[in-house]
Amino acid sequence: MLLRNAKIVTIGDQDSYGLIECGAIAIKDGLIDWVGADDAIPAAYLDGPVRNLEGRLITPALIDCHTHVVHGGDRAVEFEMRLKGASYEEVARAGGGIVSTVKATREASIEDLLTSALPRVDALLAEGVSVIEVKSGYGLDRDTELNMLRAARMISAHRNVRIKTTFLGAHAVPVEYKDDPDGYIDEVCIPTLKAAHAEGLVDAVDGFCEGIAFNTDQIKRVFDAARELGIPVKLHAEQLSNIGGTKLAAEYGAISVDHIEYATEEDAIVMAKAGSVAVLLPGAFYTLHETQLPPIDAFRKHGVPMAIATDCNPGSSPLASILLTMNMSCTLFRLTPEEALVGATAHAARALGLSDTGRIKVGLRADLAIWNAKHPAELAYRIGFNPLFESIVGGESIAA
Ligand code: DI6
Ligand code: FE
């Protein structure tokens, strides 16, 4: 198939738009076979099916590289309680907070988990997303953590989307281990990681390194287990304070370090050395009324690739829009629209360890988004407006 008469945003190797004003893309066997100027199309491609895109914009399909779309229940009532003045303790005493999501997730069947995740997935797909990362971490017991990962993997049997699953057993301390987080790590988290890996369910291992979650020693034990199994690691770090998670993650060659509002320039330097991607999550920053900005200038200065993601979760980021995430990354974090688009494509791919998608380049998967837009900055610019015309995932066209 040949797509012609389009404005193409290839995302060049310099992490710039890489604009082709009037271009064409040839797709063969699900891969990009040729890309170039419309007036230089090799004759052979003109013999096959040709589509005239009438000047529309083509970008790499978007990638949401950090989500918790699989979970039970929601926390809308808690949201309302807090806005009526309830304190964190009152919310917790009323059974709210992360504990309530763990309870609802444990009560859900795999089918329930899948069914409740699909509308969130659909919202992302409607905006041109082709890859979604999904974390466990609301089960915090063996069976529920495994069910979360199984449900996540089932998504791609129901939708044309690629799913990457991340084991996040070290997300929170469950009530039954309230006074023994070390016991939880050693007796539940690590054995569950091994079981999930044995079932082939784990693409990466994550943790929440924070005062309210796990310290660096506890995360280190999880990372050692991951290393033994040969699984790449990533980490929720320095979201609310700086306790050294970024440096630990870099020591383990983390593919990404996520949140990192409280990271320092020194952290940026170790991330650059380790080749870790900085995953910025403006939805959580917005929801939590956070004021500490991630060290964007230090990431730029030291060449740390910046990705952005929704962090779609029922507590700190009930956000299922990658386009709004791009807008927030510009407005709240002062990314340029170009950085936002690279962050939701090429760098998001890298944060997942994927080298076959995220750019428009010969040999990569034909994962494309076609927009009713004239300039790529339009994608980050509008709020609550979706200009998607069509998605192409692995060469297969999906009408918007
Ligand atoms: N960071 C967060 O902000 C959330 N998890 C995490 O690792 C909070 C999750 C929740 O409140 O449900
Ligand atoms: Fe998260």
Side-chain angles (χ1 to χ4, degrees):
M1 174 170 59
L2 180 76
L3 307 174
R4 69 176 300 180
N5 190 15
K7 185 161 180 172
I8 300 173
V9 183
T10 62
I11 312 291
D13 291 333
Q14 300 305 312
D15 293 340
S16 60
Y17 285 142
L19 270 186
I20 303 174
E21 281 299 328
C22 184
I25 299 172
I27 300 171
K28 201 176 146 196
D29 301 329
L31 302 180
I32 297 166
D33 205 45
W34 182 85
V35 54
D38 196 87
D39 57 13
I41 301 169
Y45 294 121
L46 295 165
D47 291 341
V50 177
R51 291 187 51 200
N52 183 341
L53 292 178
E54 296 167 341
R56 289 189 178 86
L57 188 74
I58 306 184
T59 67
L62 305 183
I63 295 173
D64 195 351
C65 67
H66 179 142
T67 88
H68 309 251
V69 291
V70 170
H71 59 257
D74 68 78
R75 309 241 284 273
V77 169
E78 169 185 330
F79 175 67
E80 183 158 56
M81 276 177 74
R82 273 194 275 114
L83 285 165
K84 284 180 171 170
S87 68
Y88 191 79
E89 278 75 33
E90 285 165 331
V91 168
R93 253 186 280 119
I98 195 165
V99 173
S100 76
T101 301
V102 172
K103 186 167 177 285
T105 304
R106 287 178 176 178
E107 283 165 3
S109 65
I110 298 194
E111 289 70 28
D112 295 338
L113 291 174
L114 171 68
T115 307
S116 63
L118 285 178
R120 297 185 272 272
V121 168
D122 287 339
L124 293 169
L125 299 191
E127 294 183 342
V129 167
S130 64
V131 183
I132 303 174
E133 184 255 19
V134 184
K135 300 176 193 295
S136 70
Y138 286 115
L140 310 178
D141 64 29
R142 182 189 156 107
D143 289 347
T144 316
E145 285 292 305
L146 290 172
N147 276 351
M148 286 185 76
L149 295 169
R150 292 174 186 137
R153 285 286 177 88
M154 284 163 71
I155 292 169
S156 50
H158 292 80
R159 297 291 186 272
N160 191 359
V161 62
R162 197 164 164 198
I163 299 292
K164 296 291 277 183
T165 44
T166 299
F167 177 76
L168 178 58
H171 187 199
V173 184
V175 279
E176 61 276 18
Y177 277 91
K178 170 158 87 18
D179 302 314
D180 185 16
D182 286 298
Y184 171 72
I185 292 289
D186 299 330
E187 293 158 23
V188 180
C189 181
I190 292 173
T192 302
L193 166 59
K194 291 180 179 164
H197 173 69
E199 223 181 290
L201 292 170
V202 186
D203 296 315
V205 170
D206 196 348
F208 188 19
C209 188
E210 193 60 64
I212 57 166
F214 296 98
N215 63 35
T216 49
D217 286 342
Q218 290 155 348
I219 297 293
K220 194 172 182 322
R221 296 211 295 282
V222 178
F223 280 3
D224 282 331
R227 183 178 269 176
E228 234 169 78
L229 299 169
I231 310 169
V233 301
K234 43 175 63 222
L235 191 64
H236 289 65
E238 329 315 351
Q239 180 188 1
L240 309 168
S241 61
N242 190 314
I243 62 165
T246 304
K247 292 195 183 76
L248 175 74
E251 275 170 37
Y252 282 77
I255 47 177
S256 74
V257 190
D258 303 35
H259 286 290
I260 44 177
E261 280 88 340
Y262 284 82
T264 60
E265 178 162 9
E266 220 183 288
D267 291 322
I269 292 169
V270 298
M271 286 174 68
K273 286 210 183 98
S276 306
V277 175
V279 177
L280 307 177
L281 305 168
F285 179 93
Y286 167 87
T287 303
L288 299 176
H289 297 266
E290 187 55 75
T291 53
Q292 174 78 31
L293 287 167
I296 305 287
D297 282 336
F299 295 143
R300 288 184 182 127
K301 179 172 158 199
H302 298 288
V304 177
M306 292 182 282
I308 58 171
T310 62
D311 195 14
C312 181
N313 78 61
S316 65
S317 190
L319 169 63
S321 167
I322 192 77
L323 290 175
L324 181 53
T325 303
M326 289 168 67
N327 173 271
M328 285 177 166
S329 76
C330 296
T331 303
L332 299 174
F333 292 168
R334 313 307 292 169
L335 260 59
T336 64
E338 189 170 42
E339 287 172 325
L341 183 59
V342 177
T345 55
H347 291 170
R350 184 165 160 186
L352 297 177
L354 294 173
S355 54
D356 62 351
T357 189
R359 296 180 196 266
I360 297 179
K361 206 169 145 183
V362 171
L364 299 196
R365 277 168 55 99
D367 292 341
L368 308 170
I370 306 172
W371 309 93
N372 287 314
K374 292 191 168 49
H375 191 279
E378 286 180 53
L379 303 182
Y381 157 66
R382 292 199 180 83
I383 302 169
F385 182 77
N386 179 4
L388 188 75
F389 173 71
E390 186 179 322
S391 287
I392 295 182
V393 180
E396 219 176 283
S397 155
I398 308 164

